[in-house]
């Protein structure tokens, strides 16, 4: 019967290595040639989906995934979202990791990262609330350890932060027939929202040797087997201490702990800048990915818009909308509201949109969703039934979504209406118009009400009438001028 | 006449990449010759076939084997390896040699070894040993003596630092003429080194900084050509001064 190895003794360290590491550290030398307070090379990569990151710290390799779902909140926190961290110590990372239940070090790692994020309120929980007491977003961070080269806590922390920074959750609104339904908007239709992250808590791990006299940063796997004690300090770039973890090991003097925290704050600033750079590169690349998907059909469709807008009937409007591959954009939503009121179709805005279409190069410019006027009689259909599959081509949506983007609610409705408008169904255009109307009316009603309340109502009336008159004039005049000429 | 095609056939496979299933040698015309088969080769009736993917090597006059580079070690007879003592039993030391099974080192397998002077190895001792028996069904058997019974540098290694590499790098370091990295390091530094075919390398020098330098230089030289290795060592030396 052959003698098999016992599983827990799969990796052994020789006496020579142990002694050598300690003697080298006594002369401030580390086995891989680093100085005692040097980090290994940090490499942050992202996957194709949002919220997926891969971090390599020297030989240590960690991946993080962030997912979200709607759940009921905890009873004692009815208007806060939920953040959960799950660690998976894969047996391929280290011979001592076993599949199945997480071991002690796995639980400790998850707990340290969770404390850094939750107690310091790095991730804003209240913005994850949808309906207080009933529905909130639950964000789950999955950390997978691919290779254990030492210092898993730091690598996993950076991976979790990178994934949270690039994660985007779907937009959801309260609406529906009875105004009570929660509608989750398809990320392809409505731009998803990033998480609100106030600051970045970075964890820095120290290993102690020789009864606490010698300390090094970012220990490798071999250094970790020889160390006497370990301490992790989680600090953000503002210098706030978010968490400290020293579980067992040799005792150290309080002065040593303070020195470690000071060193950690310097290192944290460095790592924060690296993380932010990597996230920025990824975000620009993601935005470019959406813009780039415009093939050359842009060019001739713009000229088509010029020609076909001239003498068309209003009822042909949806077909034209579909033909116009790209429209110039307006940065704000204020211009939209006046146009909704008028009922005649004119050439003016059509021409202006045509000329602006030539200037479209992929950057934000004048945007006009309704170059032709639509009559309110044509507005049919219900509001934002956004969950259905849109037949819209990715190109149009992507361009609008990426270029015209402010985080106010007005642009939220505007982007919804954009998406609507560009679809091939006529119903959606009317939906969009209706939703703009619905937005505009409450605003004026509020204005009206407050004015009445403050007894300046007559000013409000006059202002509204004047505004309407100006808009009508703006539409009629050019057409009249054209006819005169 | 029959031997000619088989010779040329085997010659055509030598130093080339072979995969499992290739027949590299035909024995029909070699009735009076003895051929030694090393790792990765098997006798299939009248032909020698390959069991492991790698490069076919020949050592004159008649030894053939397949060479490949892995992080794990498959024990082969007559290999010299570095092992770490895991446990000591009544008549064997259990030694880890990076193989699927623990190696057994008989307590009497030392020069002048008797029941009275059994060496005492604590757990974690690094040993330079030779593989005596290797079979994929049994634990490999080791020895601290050469065939004639002399100690011949086998035994425990004191101090120094050990690191692990792939088996390919270990073979490259053991090649003769000496590997360029070891030569150029030896020109400016003095160190001693023990290389195990299981991928373990032990380095010792007077100062820890020399040991660290040598070990990192060797680890980084695995995929460099000879000229690149020399350039790397020169740069390291310049940086030291």
């Amino acid at each position: 019967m052959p003698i098999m190895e016992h599983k827990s003794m799969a990796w052994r360290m020789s006496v020579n290595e142990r002694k050598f590491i300690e003697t080298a550290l006594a002369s401030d030398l580390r086995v891989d040639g680093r100085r005692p307070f040097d980090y290994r090379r940090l490499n942050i990569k992202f996957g194709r989906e949002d919220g997926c990151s891969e971090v390599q710290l020297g030989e240590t390799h960690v991946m993080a995934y962030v997912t979200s779902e709607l759940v009921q909140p905890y009873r004692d926190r009815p208007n806060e979202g939920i953040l959960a961290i799950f660690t998976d110590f894969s047996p391929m990372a280290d011979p001592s990791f076993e599949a199945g239940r997480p071991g002690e070090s796995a639980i400790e790692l998850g707990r340290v990262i969770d404390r850094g994020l939750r107690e310091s309120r790095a991730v804003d929980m209240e913005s994850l609330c949808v309906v207080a007491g009933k529905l909130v977003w639950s964000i789950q961070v999955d950390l997978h350890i691919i290779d254990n080269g030492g210092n898993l806590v730091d690598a996993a922390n950076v991976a979790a932060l990178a994934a949270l920074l690039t994660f985007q959750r779907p937009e959801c609104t309260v609406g529906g027939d009875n105004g009570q339904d929660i509608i989750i908007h398809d990320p392809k239709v409505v731009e998803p929202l990033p998480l609100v992250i106030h600051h970045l808590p970075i964890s820095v791990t120290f290993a102690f040797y020789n009864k606490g006299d010698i300390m090094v940063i970012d220990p490798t796997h071999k250094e970790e087997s020889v160390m006497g004690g370990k301490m992790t300090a989680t600090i953000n770039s503002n210098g706030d201490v978010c968490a400290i973890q020293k579980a067992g090991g040799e005792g150290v003097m309080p002065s040593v702990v303070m020195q470690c925290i000071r060193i950690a704050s310097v290192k944290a600033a460095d790592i924060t800048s690296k993380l932010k750079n990597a996230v920025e590169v990824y975000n620009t690349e993601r935005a470019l990915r959406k813009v780039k998907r415009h093939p050359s059909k842009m060019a001739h469709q713009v000229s088509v818009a010029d020609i076909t807008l001239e003498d068309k009937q209003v009822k042909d409007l949806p077909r034209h909308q579909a033909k116009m591959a790209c429209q110039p954009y307006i940065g704000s939503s204020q211009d939209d509201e006046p146009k909704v009121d008028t009922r005649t179709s004119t050439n003016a805005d059509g021409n202006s949109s045509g000329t602006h279409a030539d200037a479209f190069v992929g950057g934000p410019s004048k945007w006009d969703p309704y170059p032709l006027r639509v009559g309110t009689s044509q507005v049919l259909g219900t509001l934002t039934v956004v969950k259905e599959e849109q037949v819209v081509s990715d190109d149009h949506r992507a361009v609008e979504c990426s270029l015209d983007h402010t985080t106010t609610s007005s642009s939220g409705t505007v982007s919804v209406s954009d998406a609507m408008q560009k679809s091939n169904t006529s119903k959606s255009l009317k939906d969009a118009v209706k939703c703009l109307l619905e937005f505009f009316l409450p605003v004026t009603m509020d204005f009206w009400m407050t004015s009445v309340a403050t007894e300046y109502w007559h000013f409000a009336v006059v202002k509204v009438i004047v505004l309407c008159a100006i808009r009508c004039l703006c539409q009629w005049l050019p057409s009249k001028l054209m006819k005169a000429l | 006449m029959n031997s000619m095609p088989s010779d040329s056939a085997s010659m055509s496979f030598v130093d080339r990449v072979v995969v499992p299933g290739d027949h590299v040698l035909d024995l029909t015309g070699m009735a009076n010759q003895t051929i030694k088969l090393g790792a990765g080769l098997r006798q299939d009736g009248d032909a020698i076939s390959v069991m492991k993917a790698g490069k076919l090597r020949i050592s004159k006059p008649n030894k053939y084997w397949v060479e490949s580079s892995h992080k794990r070690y498959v024990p082969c007879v007559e290999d010299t390896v570095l092992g770490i003592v895991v446990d000591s039993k009544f008549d064997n030391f259990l030694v880890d040699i990076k193989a699927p099974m623990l190696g057994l080192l008989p307590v009497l397998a030392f020069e002048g070894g008797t029941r009275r002077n059994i060496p005492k190895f604590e757990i974690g001792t690094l040993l330079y040993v030779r593989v005596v028996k290797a079979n994929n069904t049994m634990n490999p058997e080791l020895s601290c003596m050469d065939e004639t019974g002399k100690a011949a540098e086998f035994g425990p290694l004191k101090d120094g630092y050990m690191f692990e590499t792939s088996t390919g790098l270990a073979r490259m370091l053991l090649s003769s003429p000496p590997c360029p990295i070891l030569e150029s390091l030896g020109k400016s530094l003095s160190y001693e080194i023990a290389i195990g075919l299981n991928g373990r390398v032990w380095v010792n020098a007077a100062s820890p900084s020399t040991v660290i330098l040598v070990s990192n230089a060797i680890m980084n030289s695995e995929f460099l050509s000879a000229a690149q290795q020399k350039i790397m060592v020169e740069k390291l030396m310049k940086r030291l001064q």
Side-chain angles (χ1 to χ4, degrees):
Chain A
M1 178 72 182
I3 300 174
M4 302 301 281
E5 298 192 36
H6 192 261
K7 222 175 170 187
S8 65
M9 292 155 66
W11 180 79
R12 278 156 215 98
M13 199 157 195
S14 61
V15 163
N16 311 50
E17 282 171 282
R18 198 176 291 268
K19 280 201 195 136
F20 181 77
I21 291 178
E22 285 170 359
T23 48
L25 277 172
S27 17
D28 259 6
L29 290 168
R30 291 173 82 170
V31 170
D32 50 359
R34 283 188 284 161
R35 286 170 310 175
F37 297 121
D38 276 351
Y39 253 90
R40 287 172 288 181
R41 197 157 63 134
L42 181 63
N43 196 358
I44 304 173
K45 281 191 277 198
F46 296 95
R48 278 204 73 84
E49 295 171 0
D50 291 338
C52 159
S53 74
E54 193 181 312
V55 167
Q56 273 176 293
L57 181 62
E59 291 216 341
T60 305
H61 198 156
V62 179
M63 290 178 90
Y65 288 92
V66 178
T67 48
S68 64
E69 64 170 345
L70 281 173
V71 295
Q72 266 197 343
Y74 292 132
R75 276 216 208 111
D76 53 343
R77 285 166 209 257
N79 47 0
E80 278 188 12
I82 297 175
L83 176 71
I85 307 225
F86 170 71
T87 58
D88 170 36
F89 275 43
S90 162
M92 76 171 151
D94 192 294
S96 59
F97 294 166
E98 291 180 25
R101 289 190 54 184
E104 206 180 281
S105 51
I107 296 178
E108 190 186 341
L109 182 133
R111 191 73 195 97
V112 170
I113 296 179
D114 183 78
R115 207 186 315 143
L117 288 172
R118 194 194 303 276
E119 314 266 321
S120 63
R121 303 192 189 287
V123 182
D124 186 54
M125 292 284 122
E126 285 174 12
S127 64
L128 298 174
C129 177
V130 178
V131 177
K134 289 204 195 133
L135 270 185
V136 298
W137 284 106
S138 161
I139 306 288
Q140 170 158 330
V141 183
D142 287 299
L143 295 162
H144 297 271
I145 314 291
I146 309 289
D147 202 355
N148 180 14
N151 197 10
L152 286 173
V153 181
D154 290 5
N157 193 40
V158 174
L161 284 172
L164 285 167
L165 281 170
T166 56
F167 174 68
Q168 291 188 321
R169 64 170 177 87
E171 162 89 80
C172 68
T173 50
V174 182
D177 293 327
N178 50 3
Q180 293 289 325
D181 294 339
I182 307 294
I183 301 164
I184 303 178
H185 300 282
D186 186 1
K188 295 199 186 84
V189 176
V190 182
E191 186 74 9
L193 300 175
L195 295 175
V196 179
I197 298 184
H198 298 299
H199 63 95
L200 298 173
I202 306 283
S203 71
V204 177
T205 302
F206 296 83
F208 301 115
Y209 301 88
N210 198 9
K211 315 252 183 306
D213 286 341
I214 306 173
M215 61 184 153
V216 298
I217 259 191
D218 188 21
T220 59
H221 188 48
K222 282 190 180 174
E223 289 172 345
E224 275 186 347
S225 342
V226 184
M227 68 185 173
K230 184 164 92 151
M231 187 179 92
T232 301
T234 307
I235 299 192
N236 69 9
S237 52
N238 300 334
D240 306 321
V241 176
C242 306
I244 298 189
Q245 171 89 354
K246 185 187 185 305
E250 283 172 356
V252 291
M253 306 287 288
S255 55
V256 171
V257 174
M258 290 310 297
Q259 189 192 359
C260 287
I261 294 177
R262 260 177 256 127
I263 298 169
S265 61
V266 173
K267 296 292 170 187
D270 185 34
I271 294 177
T272 308
S273 63
K274 278 188 199 156
L275 184 57
K276 281 189 179 161
N277 287 343
V279 170
E280 214 177 281
V281 166
Y282 171 76
N283 282 338
T284 48
E285 195 249 337
R286 176 168 59 186
L288 272 178
R289 225 190 297 153
K290 290 182 177 172
V291 174
K292 254 190 191 164
R293 288 197 266 160
H294 268 272
S296 57
K297 68 181 180 189
M298 231 167 68
H300 42 264
Q301 284 200 330
V302 163
S303 50
V304 163
D306 272 336
I307 297 163
T308 53
L309 276 178
E310 303 262 312
D311 303 301
K312 287 296 180 177
Q313 304 293 325
V314 172
K315 65 175 182 252
D316 288 333
L317 176 65
R319 195 152 44 89
H320 295 310
Q321 300 293 0
K323 273 191 198 163
M324 288 187 285
C326 80
Q327 293 291 324
Y329 290 78
I330 293 179
S332 70
S333 56
Q334 276 88 26
D335 295 336
D336 303 333
E337 297 152 30
K339 287 171 196 153
V340 177
D341 255 350
T342 57
R343 298 167 202 294
T344 59
S345 54
T346 70
N347 305 332
D349 289 285
N351 283 339
S352 68
S353 65
T355 50
H356 279 98
D358 294 337
F360 178 81
V361 190
S365 52
K366 201 165 177 299
W367 176 83
D368 178 8
Y370 306 111
L372 298 177
R373 302 296 138 244
V374 284
T376 45
S377 57
Q378 290 207 326
V379 174
L380 293 170
T382 59
L383 169 72
T384 58
V385 189
V386 195
K387 246 185 181 170
E388 87 270 55
E389 274 91 10
Q390 295 277 358
V391 191
V392 190
S393 62
D394 286 357
D395 306 344
H396 312 314
R397 252 184 277 119
V399 174
E400 308 147 7
C401 289
S402 64
L403 292 188
D404 175 18
H405 193 60
T406 58
T407 49
T408 62
S409 58
S410 60
S411 75
T413 16
V414 159
S415 53
V416 168
S417 53
D418 302 342
M420 295 286 179
Q421 175 232 326
K422 296 295 188 219
S423 80
N424 295 329
T425 61
S426 57
K427 199 180 173 194
S428 55
L429 170 65
K430 294 155 194 167
D431 293 343
V433 171
K434 187 176 181 219
C435 90
L436 267 188
L437 255 183
E438 297 216 3
F439 172 74
F440 175 65
L441 281 176
V443 169
T444 48
M445 286 311 291
D446 287 345
F447 186 47
W448 180 278
M449 284 311 181
T450 50
S451 310
V452 167
T454 60
E455 290 174 24
Y456 288 109
W457 58 274
H458 44 282
F459 285 156
V461 176
V462 169
K463 182 163 181 180
V464 170
I465 293 173
V466 166
L467 276 174
C468 288
I470 291 173
R471 284 170 218 145
C472 296
L473 276 175
C474 285
Q475 266 83 50
W476 283 9
L477 265 177
S479 56
K480 286 211 161 168
L481 278 173
M482 298 287 279
K483 284 179 191 165
L485 292 171
Chain B
M1 196 167 63
N2 274 346
S3 61
M4 286 300 281
S6 59
D7 269 356
S8 57
S10 70
M11 280 304 139
S12 67
F13 275 111
V14 169
D15 281 342
R16 282 179 43 195
V17 175
V18 291
V19 289
D22 283 352
H23 290 284
V24 291
L25 204 54
D26 195 12
L27 296 175
T28 49
M30 299 159 94
N32 294 333
Q33 298 174 23
T34 51
I35 297 175
K36 286 189 189 167
L37 296 182
L41 290 172
R42 200 169 75 103
Q43 181 176 10
D44 247 349
D46 259 349
I48 306 294
S49 65
V50 175
M51 284 199 302
K52 200 164 75 158
K55 268 195 183 161
L56 182 68
R57 292 255 188 257
I58 185 172
S59 141
K60 299 283 184 172
N62 54 2
K63 184 164 181 191
Y64 296 87
W65 72 96
V66 177
E67 233 174 51
S68 51
S69 178
H70 301 287
K71 282 188 172 173
R72 294 201 141 266
Y73 169 64
V74 173
C76 199
V77 186
E78 298 302 324
D79 277 354
T80 51
V81 296
L82 258 64
I84 299 178
V85 174
V86 168
D87 200 3
S88 60
K89 298 263 189 253
F90 176 65
D91 54 355
N92 281 324
F93 292 108
L94 297 182
V95 179
D96 163 49
I97 53 172
K98 271 178 87 173
M101 292 199 239
L102 289 174
L104 302 174
L105 173 64
V107 295
L108 303 175
F110 297 86
E111 183 174 4
T114 60
R115 273 271 143 202
R116 299 248 171 125
N117 55 356
I118 295 176
K120 289 194 183 55
F121 294 138
E122 62 169 349
I123 293 181
T125 311
L126 193 62
L127 300 171
Y128 187 61
V129 294
R130 181 176 68 97
V131 178
V132 172
K133 279 196 209 142
N135 204 317
N136 53 1
T137 49
M138 300 184 329
N139 295 72
E141 196 182 301
L142 312 167
S143 166
C144 272
M145 295 185 295
D146 61 8
E147 292 97 353
T148 58
K150 300 278 183 230
E153 313 288 339
F154 292 114
L157 296 167
K158 285 204 179 42
D159 300 331
Y161 175 63
M162 185 206 73
F163 57 94
E164 297 191 358
T165 67
S166 65
T167 50
L169 177 64
R171 262 198 311 274
M172 183 181 85
L173 292 170
L174 278 172
S175 60
S176 71
C179 182
I181 183 88
L182 293 178
E183 262 197 85
S184 28
L185 280 172
K187 279 192 198 137
S188 19
L189 303 167
S190 84
Y191 61 96
E192 58 176 322
I193 187 169
I195 300 156
L197 280 163
N198 57 348
R200 285 196 176 135
V201 180
W202 173 86
V203 179
N204 193 12
S207 73
S209 55
T210 316
V211 173
I212 291 173
L213 190 88
V214 169
S215 54
N216 282 318
I218 292 174
M219 279 196 270
N220 290 336
S221 71
E222 180 162 7
F223 300 111
L224 300 179
S225 70
Q228 284 169 327
Q229 287 174 11
K230 288 193 186 126
I231 294 171
M232 178 182 77
V233 174
E234 276 167 20
K235 279 193 198 158
L236 279 173
M237 292 298 118
K238 270 197 207 131
R239 233 195 307 158
L240 269 191
Q241 280 116 29

